[in-house]
């Protein structure tokens, strides 16, 4: 493995230490926010990230955290670029991320999005008792990326990370 | 205050880019960083981006007012979420427009006068009762959904990127408005009556949304011609209203020229509330 490739893998791993401030069990790599990390010839680290939703307030904190982790690893010149295209999709979330999300009590995105007003999607599984007998209470929840559900078996409300494809 | 004086005032704070929306001066990510190569738009493209940003900014400000006032907690949260998405679109469009004139998103949001705003009249109309807000959302989100779908194929890469991102979110907003329209239209006699009232209040501002102005006509294959959206919009909203048991009201059309800076009496009050903090404490950040 050339030195450059080794460096890039290492740099990506450093950036992946940053977690989403609103879902602290997930790293930005798990979520698919972290797109690319490269090293310029003059030693400048280039990080490319993408927002989940246009108004997501977590992006500011993520940027600060990225500066912090690179500084701790000894890289002082870090350039962070926010790109919008191609737009983020829940398809980019890693399988490991989905597993962590469920353990944390948030139902991971399942299947495809709703089709018009006939909502033909896969059932959302309750992250607590794993029942499929659940109901959407509100499409909007604590953050833009989640919807509020309730489980009709264990009667607990829970967040569902909604599909954005 | 003139822009030159403002720039000088901001410089005196030791940060020419001081922003009211930045968490940590000099560190946090600014929408200025939203860039496809960071190329500044031409003056004409910037004017067009400004119209899109202004529509989004004013609507977001109106919707945010529902937080703590909605009929149920879930609706507070929904309106807050929708307003935040739309504010995100506004920030991207205004930031992009500002690159042409060396202005930040905050310069454009907080330091322009009423007649310098180019937003449509429908977005500045007061929230009214809940039915008025829902009908406005129905009208605007169906419009924006069609608009951003087309804009995503614009030859201007930055506009296309912002639109491709926004269209996914507006899709949710549209669905939200449609579901409420059907629920209230088919609900009680009172809810249906309020929805009819809302349609009568807002329908006069529909024509303005589809009027082609020079800002659109001069940007072939970059800007979306508003008139090109009319048929699809009419078809979609008619189907929703029919399902809700509502009819298009027989009202005339208002003489609305928001794109040229002529506004209804409502915008001044909205701007006064939105701009007061930034103008009282120039360069403040929190």
């Amino acid at each position: 493995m050339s030195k450059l490739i080794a460096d890039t893998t290492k740099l990506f791993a450093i950036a992946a230490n940053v977690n989403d401030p609103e879902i602290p069990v997930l790293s930005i790599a798990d979520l698919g926010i972290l797109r690319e990390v490269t090293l310029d010839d003059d030693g400048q680290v280039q990080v490319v990230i993408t927002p989940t939703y246009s108004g997501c307030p977590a992006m500011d904190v993520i940027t600060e955290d990225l500066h912090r982790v690179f500084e701790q690893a000894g890289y002082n010149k870090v350039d962070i670029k926010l790109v919008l295209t191609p737009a983020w999709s829940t398809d980019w979330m890693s399988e490991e991320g989905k597993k962590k999300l469920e353990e944390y009590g948030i139902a991971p995105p399942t299947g495809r999005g709703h089709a018009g007003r006939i909502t033909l999607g896969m059932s959302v599984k309750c992250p607590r008792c794993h029942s499929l007998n659940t109901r959407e209470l509100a499409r909007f929840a604590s953050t833009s990326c989640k919807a509020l559900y309730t489980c009709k078996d264990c009667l607990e409300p829970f967040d569902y990370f909604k599909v954005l494809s | 205050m003139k822009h030159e004086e403002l720039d000088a005032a901001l410089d005196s704070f030791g940060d020419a880019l001081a922003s009211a929306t930045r968490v940590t001066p000099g560190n946090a990510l600014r929408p200025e960083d939203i860039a496809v190569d960071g190329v500044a738009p031409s003056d004409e493209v910037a004017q067009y981006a400004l119209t899109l940003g202004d529509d989004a900014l004013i609507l977001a400000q109106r919707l945010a007012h529902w937080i703590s006032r909605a009929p149920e907690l879930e609706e507070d949260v929904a309106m807050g979420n929708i307003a935040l998405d739309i504010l995100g679109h506004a920030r991207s469009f205004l930031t992009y427009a500002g690159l042409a004139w060396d202005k930040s998103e905050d310069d454009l949001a907080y330091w322009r006068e009423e007649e310098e705003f180019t937003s449509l009249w429908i977005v500045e109309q007061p929230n009214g009762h809940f039915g008025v807000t829902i009908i406005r959302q129905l009208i605007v989100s169906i419009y924006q959904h069609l608009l951003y779908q087309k804009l995503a194929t614009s030859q201007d890469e930055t506009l296309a990127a912002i639109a491709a991102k926004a269209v996914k979110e507006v899709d949710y907003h549209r669905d939200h408005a449609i579901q409420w329209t059907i629920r209230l239209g088919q609900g009680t006699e009172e809810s249906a009556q309020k929805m009819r009232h809302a349609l009568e209040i807002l329908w006069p501002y529909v024509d303005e949304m589809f009027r082609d102005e020079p800002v659109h006509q001069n940007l072939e294959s970059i800007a979306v011609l508003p008139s090109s959206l009319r048929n699809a919009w009419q078809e979609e909203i008619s189907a929703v209203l029919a399902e809700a048991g509502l009819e298009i009201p027989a009202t005339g059309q208002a003489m609305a020229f928001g794109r040229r800076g002529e506004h209804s009496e409502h915008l001044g009050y909205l701007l006064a509330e939105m701009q007061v903090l930034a103008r009282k404490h120039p360069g403040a950040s929190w």
Side-chain angles (χ1 to χ4, degrees):
Chain A
M1 195 187 282
S2 76
K3 186 182 174 298
L4 191 66
I5 294 172
D7 276 351
T8 310
T9 314
K10 187 177 138 207
L11 290 170
F12 195 90
I14 292 170
N17 278 326
V18 171
N19 288 349
D20 183 312
E22 303 201 30
I23 312 168
V25 288
L26 287 192
S27 79
I28 55 173
D30 289 331
L31 269 168
I33 291 174
L34 181 62
R35 283 200 170 157
E36 199 181 291
V37 187
T38 50
L39 189 65
D40 285 1
D41 292 341
D42 56 358
Q44 166 138 327
V45 180
Q46 287 269 0
V47 186
V48 179
I49 55 175
T50 194
T52 54
Y53 280 73
S54 301
C56 183
M59 298 311 287
D60 286 338
V61 181
I62 289 171
T63 309
E64 282 178 42
D65 287 348
L66 279 168
H67 279 290
R68 184 177 44 78
V69 293
F70 278 107
E71 208 165 287
Q72 283 168 355
Y75 296 89
N76 292 321
K77 286 196 289 181
V78 182
D79 182 41
I80 294 163
K81 195 170 170 195
L82 184 71
V83 294
L84 292 180
T85 179
W88 177 83
S89 143
T90 40
D91 296 345
W92 297 1
M93 197 183 285
S94 70
E95 284 309 313
E96 199 193 333
K98 288 180 185 172
K99 223 176 284 169
K100 285 194 242 174
L101 207 56
E102 186 168 13
E103 282 164 18
Y104 188 58
I106 298 172
T110 47
R112 308 292 299 171
H114 64 98
R117 266 168 291 124
I118 305 159
T119 44
L120 208 85
M122 284 169 72
S123 299
V124 174
K125 191 164 73 174
C126 171
R128 290 186 178 79
C129 72
H130 307 299
S131 162
L132 289 169
N133 188 18
T134 60
R135 185 170 77 87
E136 181 188 89
L137 283 182
R139 175 135 327 146
F140 298 91
S142 53
T143 62
S144 287
C145 52
K146 290 178 240 143
L148 185 62
Y149 270 67
T150 188
C151 176
K152 291 197 263 187
D153 284 334
C154 73
L155 304 179
E156 285 290 326
F158 63 92
D159 268 341
Y160 166 55
F161 202 109
K162 64 194 174 198
V163 176
L164 193 75
S165 49
Chain B
M1 199 191 288
K2 296 246 170 52
H3 283 301
E4 292 79 3
E5 292 172 63
L6 168 69
D7 289 344
L10 291 179
D11 281 340
S12 72
F13 282 85
D15 182 354
L17 286 166
S19 160
T21 49
R22 278 161 60 183
V23 181
T24 313
N27 192 13
L29 194 73
R30 292 161 292 136
E32 279 92 312
D33 304 319
I34 294 173
V36 179
D37 298 324
V39 186
S42 68
D43 190 64
E44 278 188 326
V45 171
Q47 288 289 348
Y48 178 57
L50 189 69
T51 67
L52 299 168
D54 281 352
D55 285 351
L57 177 67
I58 303 302
L59 182 61
Q61 176 74 9
R62 274 281 182 248
L63 288 176
H65 201 75
W66 274 106
I67 297 170
S68 82
R69 294 172 176 84
E72 56 187 30
L73 179 64
E74 285 78 9
E75 212 37 48
D76 262 8
V77 176
M79 289 294 182
N81 268 282
I82 292 170
L84 193 60
D85 286 345
I86 297 175
L87 186 65
H89 309 158
R91 292 184 64 187
S92 297
F93 283 127
L94 292 184
T95 297
Y96 185 46
L99 290 177
W101 311 308
D102 204 18
K103 302 279 179 220
S104 73
E105 50 168 330
D106 287 356
D107 294 338
L108 293 174
Y110 297 132
W111 297 94
R112 275 185 302 152
E113 305 294 333
E114 188 183 337
E115 62 271 18
E116 293 172 278
F117 276 82
T118 60
S119 43
L120 296 166
W121 280 36
I122 191 158
V123 294
E124 71 197 42
Q125 293 309 303
N127 287 334
H129 55 66
F130 187 65
V132 177
T133 295
I134 289 302
I135 290 293
R136 186 180 58 207
Q137 280 305 98
L138 183 75
I139 290 172
V140 177
S141 58
I142 290 176
Y143 174 81
Q144 285 183 330
H145 190 248
L146 294 166
L147 169 66
Y148 292 152
Q149 269 178 334
K150 270 202 174 178
L151 190 62
T153 63
S154 168
Q155 278 184 8
D156 185 289
E157 286 181 21
T158 304
L159 288 179
I162 299 169
K165 182 85 203 146
V167 73
K168 295 180 171 199
E169 295 160 15
V170 172
D171 191 28
Y172 273 111
H173 308 166
R174 184 184 61 134
D175 190 52
H176 178 258
I178 290 172
Q179 291 193 29
W180 267 115
T181 301
I182 293 169
R183 191 183 307 178
L184 295 171
Q186 293 184 352
T188 63
E189 181 42 45
E190 186 183 349
S191 73
Q193 192 274 328
K194 285 192 165 177
M195 293 303 267
R196 287 194 292 272
H197 173 241
L199 281 165
E200 280 169 15
I201 289 178
L202 293 169
W203 209 261
Y205 307 107
V206 163
D207 270 7
E208 189 197 7
M209 299 195 304
F210 300 103
R211 194 186 301 128
D212 298 338
E213 299 275 354
V215 71
H216 308 112
Q217 287 155 339
N218 297 342
L219 291 171
E220 208 190 326
S221 67
I222 290 178
V224 175
L225 268 186
S227 60
S228 70
L229 305 171
R230 177 118 208 188
N231 289 344
W233 180 87
Q234 193 82 30
E235 208 171 290
E236 196 172 335
I237 201 164
S238 298
V240 176
L241 293 179
E243 194 173 343
L246 298 166
E247 282 171 10
I248 291 171
T251 59
Q253 286 296 312
M255 296 287 285
F257 293 100
R259 294 280 185 247
R260 304 174 198 175
E262 297 170 22
H263 292 280
S264 67
E265 70 267 36
H266 308 295
L267 186 64
Y269 293 102
L270 182 150
L271 292 178
E273 189 175 19
M274 189 180 85
Q275 296 180 333
V276 62
L277 197 69
R279 290 187 180 222
K280 193 161 185 181
H281 303 285
S285 66
W286 60 85

